[in-house]
Each structure stands twice: as structure tokens, then as C-alpha cells.
């Protein structure tokens, strides 16, 4: 007979419980099994990383192939292909103005607000090397309120040599080549009155030395002074060429880096507009000239017509140093003129070479410290609504127009209705709220010699013009 003590039962219980809870020896994973499991987990993680990379690459490829849309204050609204070979930019400008005459006793004029111009545009690139431009103009006060302003194509063969054809600004006047939204004054100075306007034609252009020298040379129908032209009244055409240099652009001398000098010349033949049968004259093809306040101070006699050579030349200068800039130009315009019978087209007098000249000096200073520039001002920090109140610029100008005495002495114009000279003084303030919005206020005073009545021998001076102009401008 066996007897179990309490000690015996305790030992037995321990072994029994241990055998129940401890795994069998052959169920414990070996080192090799653990390495295999770890290797499997690594392969799974690697595959997941590969899948993530493939998905990211696919998304990147899709993004690269998708069109790119841009919308900001600097570049406006634009759409381009992924490789940049095709681009489309669209935008426009609007200018609302007011005019107030301070001295109009002799010939009263209305003080008024009006929409000066609205210009939507399209421009871009086709097949990487061809740029295009299309600009429409809505000017309610014009005889043709809606018109095609620009339509042209440029072949970007090389920065040193490009070809442009269509309708665009002729490469002549310095201030004229500034966009309307970028000029210092609301109305351009007298030299622009003698410069050719927009015209249909073709030109070669380019930049040499990274902008140290630029050139333009082209053939056009031949626009009249201060006028645009779409077609020609004769077989003869007009050649226009312009050189513009920034000789110290790369100089370490800051005071010289902003100096730009240019010279433009045009030569051609002009004739009056005749009817289809060539039996009568329907238009003289001669210009009239106006003051900054819109007063016509010179016009040719009713029987005068353009007929013969036309030659213009213009030395130009633009200089900028920090917040200060100055623009100066001179234009000499010579046109052969005679009187004619409009009904029969017969010449009444011999041709007379009439030479008019105009010059201006215009200067501006940005009171808020931003850099001045030919293409306008960019307020620091983005302007009003961001980190500041925009840029404020003070501008002054003196401009003079001299009419050739030959026009009066040969009966091509009358001193009683046309001035022999006009002298303009102007001062203005421009507030660039940001790159897109600008408010301008100008005061112009123009004094005239002759043109106010009397007799040809003793003409009376036209009444001095004093005018305040304002403009609210939006460009996008």
C-alpha cells in the first residue's frame, strides 16, 4: 500500500500543468524558419514600394502630358501644352477717363467722363516657333467704334533674326512703341503726332548680344503721320528701320547700365486716295495735329493733297536709374504736298516739301522707391491688398511742335486757323495699385502761336489750352 503525502501531490501537479502549457519541442520555430518568414515580409514590403513608385510615375507622366493653366497678376490667363510648343494667352485692358477744361472761353468744350478704350486680345505660340497676336479695339468715341487693332504672326527663327508679318505698330516712335497702359502720361507727346501708326506689312527684327543692340527693318503700305493704315492708295511702299542700343547694359557702372539710345528712319512715296476710275480724288491722305487736350491746332487747306516723297527720322533716348527715368525724342517729318482739284484730280500747284518737327523731354520719379521702367512699374510686395499700398510716380513733361512756314507761304495752310507752333507743359501723378490697376491724374497746358483768327499777315494766337485728365485703368 502506497501513501501520498502533500509534498508528492504538489510535485505531481507542477509537472502536470507544465506539460499542458509548454509547447512540444518540435513546435518551436527554428532559426531557419524565422529567417524565411522575415525574408517573405521584406519581399512583400519591397513589392508594395514598387507599386507605390509605379503609381507615382504614372501620375507624374499623366501630369506632364496634361495642359498647363496659369492665372496670376503677372502672366494673366494662359494655357499651354506640356512641352510648351503650343500656348494661348488671353486678356485685355480697359481705360475709363475724365476730362475737365479750365480755360475754354473762346471755344467751349464739354467736361465729361467716357470709356476711352477696351481691348481684348489673344496671343500665343503654334508649333513652338510661331507666335501670333490678335487684338480688338472698342473705342466708343471713334468713327469706327469696333476695329481690328493688331493681327500678326512672328517666326522665331533665332533671337538674332525673326520675321513678322501682318498688322502691327510700325517700328518708329519711341513713346509710340510703349503700350497705352504703360505711358507716363495719359496723352502722348507731340513727337508721336509725327510718327507713323499701325500698318500692314512685314519686317525682320532681332536682338544681338543679349539685348545690347536690337533692330527692326520692314516694308509697309506707308501710314500718314499719327494715323493707322490697312491698305495703300498707290503702288509705292514705305521702308522703316530702327536701331536701339543699350551699350552699357552689362556694365558694372550702375549709372551707365540704364542708358538706351536709338535712331529710326522711314522713307516712301505717298499719294492722295482716288476713286476706282482714277478720275477724282476722294481723300487728301494728309494728317491733322492735335494737342493733349484734343484741340486740332493744324490742318491743311481743303485743296491740299499728299503727292510725292515722305521722309522721317528720329533720334531717341531712354535712361533709367533706380526710381528715376527720362525719355527724350525728336521727330522730323517731311512730306511733299500740292493743291489739286478733287473733282478732276488735276494738279493746281507744284509739289512743295513741307517739314514739321516735334520734340519732347519726359521724366518720372517713383516716390515709393520702386524701380522705374519703360514697361511700367511693379509695386513692391504686390501692391494694394497684399503688403502695401502700391507705387506712386510723379511725372513731368515739356514738348514742342513746330510747323513749317512753307505750308503757310504756299497756300497749303492758313495761319488764321492753324498754329505755327504749339508748346506743351505737363505734370502728372500715377498710382499703380498693383501690376493690373492704375489711376492717373494729369494737368496739361498748351500755348499756341497763331491759329486763333485774324489775318494771314497778322494772325491771332489760339487760346491757351488748360486741361485736367484722369484715368482708371485695368489690365489683365
Amino acid at each position: 500500500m502506497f501513501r501520498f503525502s502533500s509534498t508528492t501531490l504538489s510535485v505531481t501537479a507542477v509537472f502536470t500543468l507544465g506539460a499542458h502549457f509548454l509547447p512540444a519541442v518540435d513546435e518551436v520555430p527554428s532559426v531557419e524558419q524565422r529567417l524565411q518568414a522575415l525574408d517573405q515580409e521584406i519581399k512583400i514590403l519591397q513589392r508594395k514600394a514598387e507599386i507605390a513608385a509605379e503609381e507615382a510615375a504614372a501620375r507624374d507622366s499623366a501630369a506632364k502630358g496634361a495642359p498647363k493653366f496659369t492665372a496670376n497678376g503677372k502672366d494673366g490667363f494662359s494655357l499651354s501644352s506640356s512641352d510648351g510648343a503650343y500656348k494661348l494667352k488671353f486678356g485685355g485692358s480697359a481705360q475709363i477717363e475724365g476730362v475737365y477744361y479750365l480755360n475754354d472761353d473762346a471755344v467751349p468744350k464739354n467736361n465729361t467722363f467716357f470709356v476711352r478704350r477696351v481691348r481684348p486680345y489673344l496671343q500665343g505660340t503654334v508649333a513652338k516657333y510661331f507666335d501670333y497676336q490678335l487684338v480688338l479695339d472698342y473705342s466708343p468715341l471713334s468713327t469706327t467704334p469696333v476695329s481690328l487693332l493688331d493681327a500678326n504672326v512672328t517666326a522665331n527663327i533665332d533671337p538674332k533674326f525673326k520675321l513678322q508679318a501682318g498688322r502691327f505698330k510700325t517700328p518708329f516712335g519711341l513713346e509710340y512703341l510703349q503700350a497705352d497702359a504703360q505711358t507716363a502720361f495719359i496723352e502722348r507727346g507731340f513727337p508721336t503726332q509725327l510718327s507713323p501708326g499701325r500698318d500692314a506689312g512685314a519686317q525682320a527684327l532681332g536682338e544681338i548680344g543679349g539685348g545690347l543692340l536690337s533692330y527692326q527693318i520692314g516694308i509697309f503700305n506707308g501710314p500718314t503721320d499719327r494715323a493707322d493704315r490697312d491698305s495703300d492708295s498707290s503702288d509705292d511702299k514705305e521702308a522703316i528701320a530702327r536701331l536701339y542700343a543699350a551699350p552699357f547694359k552689362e556694365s558694372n557702372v550702375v549709372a551707365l547700365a540704364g542708358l538706351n539710345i536709338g535712331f529710326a528712319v522711314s522713307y516712301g512715296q505717298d499719294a492722295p486716295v482716288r476713286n476706282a476710275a482714277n478720275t477724282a480724288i476722294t481723300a487728301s491722305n494728309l494728317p491733322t495735329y492735335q494737342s493733349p487736350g484734343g484741340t486740332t491746332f493744324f490742318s491743311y487747306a481743303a485743296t491740299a493733297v499728299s503727292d510725292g516723297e515722305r521722309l522721317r527720322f528720329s533720334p531717341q533716348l531712354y535712361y533709367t536709374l533706380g526710381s528715376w527715368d527720362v525719355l527724350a525724342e525728336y521727330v522730323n517729318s517731311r512730306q511733299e504736298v500740292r493743291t489739286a482739284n478733287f473733282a478732276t484730280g488735276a494738279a493746281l500747284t507744284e509739289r512743295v516739301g513741307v517739314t514739321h518737327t516735334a520734340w519732347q523731354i519726359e521724366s518720372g520719379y517713383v516716390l515709393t522707391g520702386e524701380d522705374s521702367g519703360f514697361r511700367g512699374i511693379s509695386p513692391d510686395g504686390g501692391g494694394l491688398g497684399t503688403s502695401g499700398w502700391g507705387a506712386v510716380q510723379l511725372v513731368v513733361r515739356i514738348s514742342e511742335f513746330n510747323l513749317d512756314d512753307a505750308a503757310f507761304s504756299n497756300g497749303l495752310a492758313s495761319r488764321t486757323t492753324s498754329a505755327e507752333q504749339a508748346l506743351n507743359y505737363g505734370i502728372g501723378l500715377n498710382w499703380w495699385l498693383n501690376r493690373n490697376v492704375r489711376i492717373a491724374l494729369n494737368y496739361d497746358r498748351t500755348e499756341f502761336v497763331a491759329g486763333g483768327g485774324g489775318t494771314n499777315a497778322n494772325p491771332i494766337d489760339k487760346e491757351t489750352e488748360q486741361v485736367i485728365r484722369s484715368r482708371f485703368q485695368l489690365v489683365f
Side-chain angles (χ1 to χ4, degrees):
M1 177 178 291
F2 295 95
R3 294 183 180 179
F4 297 93
S5 64
S6 60
T7 301
T8 305
L9 291 173
S10 298
V11 173
T12 303
V14 170
F15 278 102
T16 302
L17 290 172
H20 179 73
F21 288 101
L22 292 176
V25 175
D26 57 358
E27 293 180 5
V28 177
S30 65
V31 173
E32 183 178 354
Q33 290 174 327
R34 291 180 179 179
L35 290 175
Q36 290 178 348
L38 183 60
D39 182 63
Q40 186 64 26
E41 291 179 4
I42 292 174
K43 290 180 178 179
I44 292 173
L45 291 174
Q46 288 176 337
R47 182 53 186 158
K48 288 181 177 179
E50 290 173 356
I51 293 173
E54 291 171 357
E55 292 175 348
R59 288 193 300 269
D60 185 58
S61 177
K64 288 182 178 180
K68 299 177 182 179
F69 178 75
T70 301
N72 56 56
K74 179 181 178 181
D75 303 314
F77 301 93
S78 62
L79 186 68
S80 68
S81 60
S82 58
D83 58 0
Y86 294 85
K87 298 178 182 178
L88 170 64
K89 181 179 179 181
F90 50 95
S93 63
Q95 294 172 338
I96 297 89
E97 298 184 6
V99 59
Y100 180 75
Y101 295 93
L102 300 179
N103 184 25
D104 57 345
D105 297 331
V107 183
K109 296 183 179 180
N110 292 330
N111 305 322
T112 183
F113 294 104
F114 57 98
V115 176
R116 177 65 176 274
R117 56 176 67 94
V118 178
R119 290 178 176 172
Y121 71 84
L122 292 174
Q123 64 183 46
T125 303
V126 173
K128 189 177 181 179
Y129 296 106
F130 298 93
D131 293 339
Y132 61 89
Q133 182 187 45
L134 178 65
V135 183
L136 298 178
D137 179 63
Y138 171 65
S139 300
L141 301 184
S142 174
T143 54
T144 54
V146 180
S147 62
L148 178 64
L149 200 66
D150 293 305
N152 54 79
V153 176
T154 302
N156 290 304
I157 301 170
D158 185 89
K160 298 182 183 65
F161 181 76
K162 302 178 182 180
L163 291 174
Q164 186 177 34
R167 190 178 196 264
F168 48 89
K169 283 186 175 183
T170 55
F172 190 86
L174 177 60
E175 187 188 34
Y176 178 68
L177 289 172
Q178 279 187 303
D180 291 305
Q182 298 166 347
T183 56
F185 279 83
I186 295 173
E187 293 297 326
R188 301 177 191 270
F190 286 142
T192 297
Q193 298 272 316
L194 290 177
S195 300
R198 285 176 165 85
D199 198 2
Q203 69 172 350
L205 66 157
E207 291 186 350
I208 300 171
L212 293 177
L213 177 67
S214 61
Y215 70 91
Q216 295 164 281
I217 180 169
I219 298 294
F220 302 88
N221 287 323
T224 305
D225 293 348
R226 71 172 292 268
D228 300 338
R229 179 172 283 185
D230 293 307
S231 60
D232 207 342
S233 58
S234 67
D235 291 336
D236 298 309
K237 298 296 175 280
E238 186 163 306
I240 303 178
R242 181 172 182 262
L243 290 175
Y244 196 67
F248 306 105
K249 181 180 180 180
E250 306 298 334
S251 172
N252 293 325
V253 181
V254 177
L256 295 177
L259 177 63
N260 301 265
I261 54 176
F263 187 83
V265 62
S266 73
Y267 175 79
Q269 301 274 341
D270 202 18
V273 179
R274 297 176 178 271
N275 61 9
N278 198 29
T279 58
I281 296 173
T282 59
S284 68
N285 257 352
L286 287 172
T288 59
Y289 303 117
Q290 294 182 344
S291 68
T295 298
T296 299
F297 62 84
F298 180 89
S299 58
Y300 284 93
T303 56
V305 297
S306 63
D307 187 21
E309 293 184 337
R310 178 169 54 218
L311 173 66
R312 304 183 188 93
F313 65 87
S314 173
Q316 307 163 354
L317 178 145
Y318 179 76
Y319 177 74
T320 179
L321 179 63
S323 299
W324 176 65
D325 73 339
V326 60
L327 181 152
E329 64 178 323
Y330 168 87
V331 176
N332 180 298
S333 177
R334 182 184 185 276
Q335 169 71 62
E336 289 188 327
V337 184
R338 63 177 174 85
T339 60
N341 186 319
F342 272 55
T344 64
L348 299 180
T349 62
E350 296 295 324
R351 294 186 180 94
V352 176
V354 178
T355 302
H356 303 314
T357 63
W359 61 266
Q360 73 167 336
I361 299 175
E362 174 188 289
S363 183
Y365 185 78
V366 186
L367 303 176
T368 47
E370 287 86 351
D371 287 341
S372 186
F374 190 75
R375 290 182 171 81
I377 299 169
S378 298
D380 289 342
L384 186 67
T386 53
S387 61
W389 287 89
V392 179
Q393 181 191 35
L394 176 67
V395 292
V396 294
R397 174 177 67 190
I398 180 171
S399 184
E400 186 178 72
F401 202 124
N402 290 289
L403 290 306
D404 193 349
D405 183 68
F408 302 103
S409 60
N410 288 277
L412 302 174
S414 171
R415 288 185 175 89
T416 62
T417 56
S418 293
E420 297 176 347
Q421 183 186 68
L423 180 62
N424 168 255
Y425 305 93
I427 186 170
L429 200 64
N430 295 310
W431 180 18
W432 301 80
L433 282 72
N434 51 46
R435 292 183 63 93
N436 309 100
V437 181
R438 171 190 175 192
I439 297 174
L441 185 66
N442 293 173
Y443 166 77
D444 277 288
R445 175 187 175 90
T446 307
E447 302 171 355
F448 304 97
V449 175
T455 65
N456 275 316
N458 295 291
I460 298 172
D461 293 343
K462 186 183 290 291
E463 184 178 46
T464 296
E465 178 189 79
Q466 298 184 67
V467 60
I468 294 176
R469 283 187 174 273
S470 62
R471 171 182 288 177
F472 177 82
Q473 171 179 291
L474 174 65
V475 178
F476 63 92

